[in-house]
Amino acid sequence: MNKISVKTPIVEIDGDEMTRIMWQMVKEKLLFPYLDMQLEYYDLHISKRDETDDQVTKDAAEAIKKYKVGVKCATITPNEDRVEEYKLKKQWKSPNGTIRAILDGTVFRGPILVKNVKPTVKCWTKPIVIGRHAYGDVYKNAELAVPGPGKAELLFTPAGGGEPQRITIQDFDGPGILQGIHNLDASIRSFAKACFTYAYDQKIDLWFSTKDTISKTYDARFREIFADEYKANWETKFTEAGITYFFTLIDDAVARVVKGDGGYLWACKNYDGDVMSDMVASAFGSLAMMTSVLVSPHGYFEYEAAHGTVQKHYYKHLKGEKTSTNSMALIFAWSGCLKKRGELDDTPELVSFANRLEEAAVETIEAGIMTGDMARIAEPKPEKPVGTEEFIDAIALRLQEKLS
Ligand code: NAP
Ligand code: MG
């Protein structure tokens, strides 16, 4: 069979532990036999980041800027234990944080659905994708404990001189607590752009929710910026594509989400997205079935699995014990990246390959061949879960049948 040629190099970002092991298998068994592709390879193994003083992470992000599309394996974000374990020079920052800062993106997370795992919320028949704003609010706050009676004020001093603005937050008559948060028009706008881009790309509705009835300046600013961006750049495109932009109060959104059938992007402020993405992920079944893509307002895309490096399974693997780790989200990171590459390069045969790959993976689970995490929640339950490599082999077999 002729291999499909991928016209533009793909930025491949390798990672750590169990996901690194599966990454290699996915490439060798599911991709290399069918694709003729040039990989622009960046090794973000924790020791490589240490060796290069984390330069390799920045280089990887720059490569995505150059080629527009990348795919990333999970990586260790070092804590004290990891510094000890790998004898690191220091606790390097989260690679995802570094890459996101360079690409200025928003992360979208969506579940992979299979027929034999039912979401906890029975009416959810289509994926709910969460887009979380990843700047500011309570994650970049200033807070203090108020020891006793006194006056708390918000004070803004203009950089160029001029009259400061000052309002009273509270006249304390006893001890309490105090918090200051902020956001930036530029960051909210970039978040809005990324959300409209993603929804349009996927041809799904976009929901956005804030608490603007209570927070008439702060949350209302989010609503205004989204509305402006929609009017200016998306209204016509959305109408043509038959999709809608829907703004509502966060509490109304939550009530509708649990009553609806899914099938939209839910854009959330930073804290709402933090909380709701865990709720949605858990209700859909397994972290190993959650995909993640970083969409930059400048048109860069980075695909990955939402889960980490599955450290516990890796230690078992190192001891020579059999593992049953689920590679679905990693496979979908690759298929997502290949589809996007195919769209940008106008190579429909590549898009079609990526779709076949996803089908082969989903059908494998639906045929009862699955890893331990899925075996626990599937109905009917399989006789026994398969091992890490066996699962990928089963997908490879199905893929081969589909393509021949
Ligand atoms: P994790 O790797 O997501 O795994 C947590 C647990 O979830 C696992 O122990 C396993 O549960 C289950 N799980 C996750 N993915 C699975 C899969 N593909 N197949 C089967 N089960 C799966 O989180 P972690 O162990 O807390 O973190 C490990 C490392 O990952 C950390 O160093 C962290 O910094 C890093 N991390 C990286 C990213 C990223 O690069 N995007 C994201 C998060 C965390 P059982 O043990 O019960 O089987
Ligand atoms: Mg969370």
Side-chain angles (χ1 to χ4, degrees), residues 138-212:
V138 50
Y139 303 87
K140 207 170 177 352
N141 67 358
E143 53 182 25
L144 56 86
V146 172
K151 189 186 192 62
E153 292 173 304
L154 271 185
L155 169 67
F156 174 74
T157 316
E163 209 41 40
Q165 295 182 56
R166 180 192 293 267
I167 55 168
T168 301
I169 299 168
Q170 178 70 12
D171 283 310
F172 284 86
D173 55 14
I177 43 180
L178 198 55
Q179 166 171 248
I181 60 172
H182 82 283
N183 224 297
L184 304 171
D185 282 8
S187 173
I188 301 168
R189 191 161 296 116
S190 144
F191 173 52
K193 277 182 194 296
C195 291
F196 285 110
T197 306
Y198 182 93
Y200 183 68
D201 190 53
Q202 300 286 310
K203 303 291 179 280
I204 53 176
D205 292 342
L206 170 61
W207 292 19
F208 182 46
S209 49
T210 70
K211 193 70 184 176
D212 60 320

Side-chain angles (χ1 to χ4, degrees), residues 101-380:
I102 295 174
L103 301 181
D104 177 25
T106 299
V107 172
F108 298 94
R109 288 187 162 190
I112 304 160
L113 304 192
V114 289
K115 291 202 192 89
N116 40 351
V117 173
K118 298 272 178 276
T120 317
V121 182
K122 285 195 215 87
C123 54
W124 289 359
T125 53
K126 293 180 260 178
I128 295 169
V129 179
I130 301 258
R132 173 183 169 190
H133 185 209
Y135 179 84
D137 299 356
V138 50
Y139 303 87
K140 207 170 177 352
N141 67 358
E143 53 182 25
L144 56 86
V146 172
K151 189 186 192 62
E153 292 173 304
L154 271 185
L155 169 67
F156 174 74
T157 316
E163 209 41 40
Q165 295 182 56
R166 180 192 293 267
I167 55 168
T168 301
I169 299 168
Q170 178 70 12
D171 283 310
F172 284 86
D173 55 14
I177 43 180
L178 198 55
Q179 166 171 248
I181 60 172
H182 82 283
N183 224 297
L184 304 171
D185 282 8
S187 173
I188 301 168
R189 191 161 296 116
S190 144
F191 173 52
K193 277 182 194 296
C195 291
F196 285 110
T197 306
Y198 182 93
Y200 183 68
D201 190 53
Q202 300 286 310
K203 303 291 179 280
I204 53 176
D205 292 342
L206 170 61
W207 292 19
F208 182 46
S209 49
T210 70
K211 193 70 184 176
D212 60 320
T213 48
I214 298 296
S215 171
K216 291 183 193 303
T217 302
Y218 196 104
D219 274 27
R221 189 85 190 118
F222 281 80
R223 184 199 64 221
E224 289 158 10
I225 290 175
F226 266 70
D228 290 348
E229 176 63 24
Y230 179 61
K231 274 263 167 262
N233 300 315
W234 302 95
E235 193 167 22
T236 322
K237 284 184 176 168
F238 268 47
T239 309
E240 278 166 13
I243 53 176
T244 53
Y245 169 57
F246 173 59
F247 176 84
T248 188
L249 261 186
I250 177 76
D251 16 359
D252 180 50
V254 169
R256 286 169 188 263
V257 163
V258 293
K259 287 273 162 72
D261 57 357
Y264 45 81
L265 164 63
W266 184 11
C268 289
K269 287 180 62 199
N270 211 346
Y271 178 81
D272 299 338
D274 185 353
V275 177
M276 291 306 162
S277 61
D278 286 334
M279 192 267 288
V280 168
S282 139
F284 269 113
S286 163
L287 196 56
M289 298 289 278
M290 193 55 76
T291 64
S292 180
V293 55
L294 176 78
V295 177
S296 134
H298 315 295
Y300 315 129
F301 296 81
E302 184 208 39
Y303 296 82
E304 66 166 349
H307 61 76
T309 60
V310 213
Q311 182 182 11
K312 279 192 217 143
H313 296 209
Y314 180 61
Y315 290 165
K316 271 178 79 177
H317 168 83
L318 286 182
K319 281 194 263 169
E321 291 171 32
K322 187 176 171 185
T323 57
S324 182
T325 318
N326 189 343
S327 47
M328 284 294 278
L330 288 184
I331 294 169
F332 272 66
W334 274 101
S335 61
C337 153
L338 294 169
K339 267 193 249 187
K340 178 51 70 184
R341 195 65 272 166
E343 279 168 28
L344 294 178
D345 295 343
D346 200 15
T347 37
E349 63 279 17
L350 182 58
V351 176
S352 161
F353 168 79
N355 285 325
R356 295 293 93 72
L357 173 58
E358 290 183 356
E359 285 163 21
V362 166
E363 287 166 14
T364 299
I365 295 183
E366 290 179 347
I369 303 171
M370 62 189 84
T371 46
D373 57 312
M374 297 298 285
R376 282 197 288 271
I377 53 175
E379 275 175 57

